[in-house]
């Protein structure tokens, strides 16, 4: 079949803000007339059919909630990420892939090549029975085939749900069930640093008892021995060969409604069960592109290196969809920052002459710990812009990044956003709006932030003071989540019910007299460990699964590298540990093993303190405030403990603090 020529639009970005004044004008317009503002931006994309009128650009209410952008418009996001670039930049690298080991060859996929691979794999999906709207779970390492799989799903209108390679079989099983997924794409294994993770075998465990999965497509990466089940499991490479033998290449991009789901991505909340955040085709595309082009001030031909994993939202939005829809070159790195040594990022920057580096504060802090040695002899002069995401960045890490990586020449963007927001909501625009170390600074155009007190009353500064409050948003932007998969009520109660007519982020923040925001952290029971969101209830549920555990309470505490560490207080009944080893250490390890099984190694507590009781009110509620303070090292001002059922337990916990 021939490549179906679609109209290309030259890749200039007329909506790229070029000065502080332009930012102010854009912001003003976006607030006064959001539909007109986003209609102008959306006109720069390839639509199979546009929305009928300005009224259809945005319809919403936060009561249900219902948010629709570009209602009635038709598109396929892959035509925007691939086809429209073929004519003008077909030979330009779309993806550069750097493997885990520096001894292995890197790979470059031009836009033409990526288009070809995506079309081919889209045929594979169709041949295996995948249809528009089917949920496809993707559990792979960071190899080009992961991006290809994601885009191939989008090509045929299947809804992808990528699961980070660090999650356990049980977590996958829960997600497969919740999403009612019928297909899986995975690898035999994944290389991560010195480790070789047996992905397929984890999938096999996840599939015990699963009746919905029709097909598992397995891509070869590590050559780890795998069991392939007849009738269910097929090799990626064999399937590609069938497609080639049949002479199938180009495939039409499925016509999607702007509001059709594009993907589901699970994220933790304050309840025990992760939520399937749903993003849709039109708004998500426009928003990730707009934020990519503006926050990073992307210039054609620059090389953008986002170090996140595609298993998280950052990888979805700023490795795949944002950069590719902007015709950028996006670097995909399989490994970790410290393998084979702590100079790995700098080697990659040097090797590919990376222009934009986007990483997490936890990675910066971890690399700071290795001193300046790993930076020596690395040419970082190609770097133009640096970015951070995922957690508050402390000033020390900010200055280190600025001085030793950016050589004081590169603006640093501190980008605040969430899985639910699709793209960046608060950030300085690189070199355009001022940076302020450890402050995410100003909301992007279209983003109407406000701070509220516990009662939902807006916090307004009197004079020039800095104010604090819970961070909320008044009106939708195109990248806002539309629902939580299979349970819209959960979406409403989680985000839209705490305060009337507002989206509640779950974060607390400060605002200075100039309107800059500084995120102070979560105000709900969600932890941020190395930039990963983990619900305390989820960890508690996992710990409580362990035989002998009566009850547990999990809180966060400040951790030098991870930002937050996980501190668990556990009531353990059973003398097994004492009898066999005379110490609780073996039980600790058993509990860690249980958490690894139930969630994954990322949720393992850093500290486990055995206690005989937990501080509870007479109504049975755990006073987490007290536990949090003790974990943070504060043993004096614990506040009022008189309402506790058994105040004596507090002294015991204080004395046993780890
Ligand atoms: O608490 C905020 C923190 O990460 C949370 C969102 O986590 P997740 O959905 O996993 O997405 C992470 C990547 C977008 C937020 O509620 N967070 C994210 N970025 C920042 C941040 N905290 C402070 N500063 C940031 N730049």
């Amino acid at each position: 079949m021939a490549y179906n020529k679609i109209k290309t639009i030259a890749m200039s970005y007329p909506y790229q803000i070029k000065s502080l004044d332009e930012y102010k004008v854009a912001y003003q317009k976006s607030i006064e007339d959001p539909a007109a503002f986003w209609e102008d931006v959306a006109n720069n994309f390839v639509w199979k059919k546009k929305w009928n009128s300005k009224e259809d650009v945005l319809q919403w209410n936060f009561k249900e909630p219902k948010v629709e952008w570009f209602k009635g418009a038709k598109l396929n996001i892959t035509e925007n990420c691939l086809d429209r670039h073929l004519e003008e930049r077909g030979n330009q690298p779309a993806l550069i892939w750097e493997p885990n080991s520096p001894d292995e060859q890197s790979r470059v996929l031009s836009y033409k090549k990526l288009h070809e691979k995506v079309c081919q794999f889209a045929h594979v999906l169709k041949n295996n029975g995948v249809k528009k709207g089917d949920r496809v779970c993707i559990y792979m390492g960071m190899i080009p085939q992961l991006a290809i799989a994601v885009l191939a799903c989008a090509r045929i209108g299947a809804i992808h749900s990528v699961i980070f390679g660090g999650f356990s079989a049980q977590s996958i099983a829960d997600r497969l069930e919740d999403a009612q997924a019928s297909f899986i794409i995975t690898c035999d294994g994944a290389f991560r640093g010195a480790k070789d993770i047996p992905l397929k075998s984890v999938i096999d465990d996840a599939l015990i008892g699963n009746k919905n999965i029709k097909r598992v497509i397995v891509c070869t990466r590590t050559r780890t021995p795998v069991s392939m089940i007849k009738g269910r499991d097929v090799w990626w490479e064999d399937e590609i060969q069938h497609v080639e033998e049949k002479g199938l290449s180009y495939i039409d991009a499925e016509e999607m409604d702007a509001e059709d789901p594009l993907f589901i991505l699970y994220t933790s909340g304050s309840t025990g069960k992760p939520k399937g955040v749903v993003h849709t085709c039109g708004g998500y595309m426009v928003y990730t592109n707009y934020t990519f082009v503006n926050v990073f001030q992307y210039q054609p031909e620059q090389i953008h290196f986002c170090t996140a994993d595609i298993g998280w939202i950052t990888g979805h939005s700023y490795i795949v969809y944002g950069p590719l829809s902007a015709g950028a070159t996006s670097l995909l790195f399989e490994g970790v920052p410290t393998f084979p040594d702590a100079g790995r990022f700098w080697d990659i920057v040097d090797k590919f002459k990376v222009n934009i580096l986007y990483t997490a504060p936890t990675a910066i802090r971890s690399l700071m710990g290795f001193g300046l040695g790993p930076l020596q002899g690395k040419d970082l002069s190609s770097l133009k812009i640096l970015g951070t995401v995922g957690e508050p960045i402390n000033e020390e890490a900010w200055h280190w990044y600025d001085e030793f990586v950016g050589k004081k020449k590169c603006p640093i963007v501190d980008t605040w956003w969430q899985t639910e927001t699709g793209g960046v909501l608060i950030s300085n625009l690189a070199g355009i709006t001022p940076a302020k170390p450890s402050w995410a600074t100003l909301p992007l155009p279209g983003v109407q932030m406000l701070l509220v007190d516990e009662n939902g009353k807006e916090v307004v500064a009197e004079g020039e003071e800095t104010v604090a409050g819970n961070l909320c948003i008044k009106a939708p932007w195109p990248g806002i989540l539309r629902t939580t998969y299979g349970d819209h009520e959960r979406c409403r109660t989680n985000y839209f019910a705490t305060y009337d007519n507002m989206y509640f982020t779950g974060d607390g923040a400060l605002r200075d007299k100039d309107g800059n925001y500084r995120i102070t952290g979560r105000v709900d029971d969600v932890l941020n460990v190395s930039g990963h969101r983990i619900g305390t209830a989820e960890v508690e549920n996992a710990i409580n699964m362990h035989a002998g555990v009566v009850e547990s309470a999990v809180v966060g505490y400040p951790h030098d590298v991870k930002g937050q560490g996980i501190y668990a207080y556990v009531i353990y009944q059973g003398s097994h540990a004492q009898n066999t080893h005379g110490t609780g250490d073996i039980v600790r390890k058993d509990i860690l093993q249980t958490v690894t099984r139930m969630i994954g190694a990322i949720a393992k507590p850093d500290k486990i303190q055995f206690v005989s009781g937990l501080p509870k009110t007479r109504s049975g509620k755990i006073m987490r405030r007290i536990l949090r303070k003790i974990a943070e090292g504060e043993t004096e001002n614990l506040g009022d403990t008189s309402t506790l059922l058994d105040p004596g337990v507090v002294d015991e916990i204080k004395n046993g603090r780890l």
Side-chain angles (χ1 to χ4, degrees):
M1 256 179 283
Y3 151 57
N4 200 352
K5 213 167 145 196
I6 62 170
K7 197 169 150 275
T8 56
I9 295 174
M11 250 317 93
S12 62
Y13 315 112
Y15 45 88
Q16 192 173 51
I17 293 165
K18 297 313 279 169
S19 66
L20 182 58
D21 282 344
E22 277 185 33
Y23 161 77
K24 287 181 185 156
V25 170
Y27 190 82
Q28 200 54 34
K29 181 175 174 195
S30 75
I31 301 308
E32 279 164 12
D33 194 349
F37 178 83
W38 288 109
E39 185 170 38
D40 275 357
V41 177
N43 276 327
N44 293 281
F45 293 80
V46 173
W47 299 89
K48 287 177 184 286
K49 176 182 168 288
K50 283 202 180 167
W51 50 97
N52 284 328
S53 65
K54 196 178 140 198
E55 280 63 59
D56 289 339
V57 171
L58 172 60
Q59 293 188 1
W60 67 286
N61 73 71
F62 276 173
K63 274 259 164 304
E64 297 177 53
K66 186 174 114 184
V67 177
E68 289 175 323
W69 283 94
F70 314 112
K71 193 179 156 93
K74 307 281 180 196
L75 78 157
N76 187 290
I77 195 167
T78 69
E79 286 192 335
N80 287 276
C81 289
L82 300 169
D83 303 56
R84 72 158 155 169
H85 305 310
L86 294 180
E87 209 159 292
E88 297 206 1
R89 61 193 68 78
N91 294 321
Q92 181 198 303
L95 288 179
I96 297 177
W97 177 67
E98 174 65 15
N100 181 56
S101 162
D103 299 331
E104 198 184 334
Q105 278 284 322
S106 47
R107 275 178 68 188
V108 175
L109 279 90
S110 65
Y111 271 98
K112 222 192 244 156
K113 196 77 193 159
L114 184 60
H115 179 261
E116 193 182 301
K117 297 266 176 206
V118 168
C119 282
Q120 249 186 354
F121 195 65
H123 277 297
V124 167
L125 292 176
K126 281 211 153 167
N127 289 347
N128 280 281
V130 184
K131 293 192 188 61
K132 179 174 178 174
D134 284 345
R135 273 79 57 215
V136 179
C137 158
I138 303 181
Y139 186 66
M140 300 172 84
M142 284 282 283
I143 55 177
Q145 289 89 336
L146 167 52
I148 292 167
V150 161
L151 292 163
C153 286
R155 186 81 176 174
I156 65 167
I159 302 169
H160 58 75
S161 181
V162 185
I163 301 179
F164 173 62
F167 281 113
S168 69
Q170 184 62 51
S171 296
I172 298 169
D174 295 344
R175 286 159 171 77
L176 291 175
E177 170 71 26
D178 189 80
Q180 292 290 297
S182 35
F183 298 89
I184 296 180
I185 309 170
T186 187
C187 296
D188 47 0
F191 294 124
R192 259 180 91 74
K195 289 194 214 127
D196 168 349
I197 302 154
L199 297 180
K200 172 64 165 61
S201 137
V202 178
I203 289 290
D204 289 339
D205 288 346
L207 287 183
I208 296 171
N210 182 302
K211 302 232 171 359
N212 299 325
I213 295 296
K214 298 180 190 148
R215 195 66 92 234
V216 181
I217 303 177
V218 187
C219 180
T220 310
R221 173 62 184 132
T222 55
R223 296 256 163 214
T224 311
V226 294
S227 103
M228 296 290 283
I229 303 299
K230 200 177 290 164
R232 188 193 72 185
D233 302 350
V234 295
W235 287 105
W236 174 298
E237 295 77 10
D238 290 348
E239 295 303 299
I240 292 284
Q241 205 180 331
H242 296 156
V243 166
E244 278 171 355
E245 282 164 6
K246 286 188 193 157
L248 299 169
S249 51
Y250 177 80
I251 192 164
D252 280 331
E254 187 75 33
E255 183 170 289
M256 305 297 286
D257 195 277
E259 282 297 326
D260 278 339
L262 173 64
F263 65 85
I264 305 171
L265 187 58
Y266 282 87
T267 189
S268 295
S270 44
T271 61
K273 201 169 152 262
K275 300 177 285 253
V277 168
V278 175
H279 284 290
T280 54
C281 297
Y284 177 81
M285 170 183 75
V286 170
Y287 198 68
T288 51
N289 176 290
Y290 180 83
T291 50
F292 173 72
V293 162
N294 278 296
V295 170
F296 300 104
Q297 288 290 305
Y298 186 79
Q299 300 302 317
E301 297 180 17
Q302 284 188 332
I303 294 176
H304 174 78
F305 177 20
C306 166
T307 69
D309 193 290
I310 294 179
W312 307 110
I313 191 71
T314 308
H316 281 60
S317 301
Y318 299 111
I319 296 178
V320 182
Y321 290 113
L324 296 180
S325 66
T329 298
S330 182
L331 200 152
L332 187 81
F333 173 44
E334 183 182 34
V336 296
T338 49
F339 178 83
D341 57 52
R344 192 70 170 111
F345 277 0
W346 323 129
D347 283 328
I348 295 175
V349 169
D350 194 346
K351 178 172 174 186
F352 297 104
K353 303 295 168 230
V354 167
N355 305 112
I356 305 170
L357 175 65
Y358 188 33
T359 193
T362 188
I364 299 168
R365 287 193 298 265
S366 139
L367 294 175
M368 275 168 73
F370 291 87
L372 297 178
L375 281 151
Q376 264 159 27
K378 311 291 158 71
D379 179 6
L380 305 184
S381 61
S382 57
L383 285 173
K384 294 265 180 296
I385 282 144
L386 304 176
T388 69
V389 58
E391 51 177 319
I393 181 163
N394 48 312
E395 290 207 27
E396 195 192 353
W398 195 98
H399 287 294
W400 190 87
Y401 201 29
D402 182 38
E403 189 167 342
F404 300 111
V405 182
K407 318 283 184 201
K408 297 208 165 214
K409 287 189 320 304
C410 303
I412 299 177
V413 289
D414 177 351
T415 65
W416 176 86
W417 57 297
Q418 310 179 299
T419 305
E420 294 85 347
T421 71
V424 178
L425 292 192
I426 309 180
S427 173
N428 46 320
L429 309 182
I432 301 291
T433 63
K436 183 169 175 179
S438 84
W439 290 67
T441 75
L442 300 171
L444 262 57
V447 181
Q448 302 189 46
M449 315 278 349
L450 74 164
L451 296 176
V452 301
D453 64 17
E454 291 96 80
N455 304 318
K457 190 165 168 291
E458 182 161 6
V459 178
V460 185
E462 286 173 18
E464 304 229 313
E465 61 180 337
T466 293
V467 288
N470 291 341
L471 191 64
C472 292
I473 307 170
K474 269 186 214 162
W477 60 100
I480 189 174
L481 86 161
R482 301 301 195 265
T483 187
T484 46
Y485 193 81
D487 192 348
H488 193 62
E489 177 58 14
R490 203 164 168 217
C491 173
R492 191 187 70 79
T493 50
N494 259 286
Y495 307 105
F496 300 92
T498 316
Y499 305 114
D500 258 358
N501 273 323
M502 287 175 225
Y503 168 85
F504 175 42
T505 64
D507 280 346
L510 305 176
R511 187 180 56 227
D512 72 7
K513 64 175 178 23
D514 301 316
N516 291 305
Y517 285 88
R518 178 189 197 165
I519 311 303
T520 47
R522 302 287 306 194
V523 293
D524 53 7
D525 290 321
V526 173
L527 306 180
N528 191 327
V529 181
S530 300
H532 302 322
R533 240 162 97 170
I534 297 170
T536 53
E538 247 180 286
V539 183
E540 286 165 6
N541 287 351
I543 294 175
N544 296 348
M545 289 298 288
H546 188 74
V549 170
V550 179
E551 200 178 0
S552 63
V554 165
V555 296
Y557 71 98
H559 187 288
D560 283 349
V561 174
K562 298 177 175 185
Q564 267 189 315
I566 304 180
Y567 197 117
Y569 298 91
V570 175
I571 306 176
Y572 183 81
Q573 220 174 49
S575 51
H576 173 72
Q578 283 74 15
N579 289 344
T580 50
H581 296 269
T583 149
D585 275 357
I586 190 78
V587 182
R588 280 202 181 85
K589 285 185 185 150
D590 290 346
I591 291 173
L592 294 181
Q593 186 64 16
T594 306
V595 174
T596 306
R597 284 258 168 222
M598 299 308 297
I599 307 174
I602 51 170
K604 279 199 303 199
D606 299 271
K607 295 183 181 178
I608 297 177
Q609 179 181 347
F610 293 111
V611 296
S612 68
L614 292 166
K616 286 188 180 171
T617 59
R618 288 193 180 86
S619 59
K621 200 167 161 281
I622 297 175
M623 298 271 277
R624 283 167 188 285
R625 175 176 52 81
I626 294 174
L627 294 175
R628 222 175 280 132
K629 284 202 165 172
I630 297 175
E632 285 166 4
E634 166 82 64
T635 48
E636 293 309 314
N637 304 314
L638 296 180
D640 183 12
T641 54
S642 63
T643 55
L644 289 180
L645 194 58
D646 172 15
V649 79
V650 176
D651 283 330
E652 181 214 304
I653 296 175
K654 270 195 317 201
N655 295 334
R657 184 179 167 267
L658 299 171

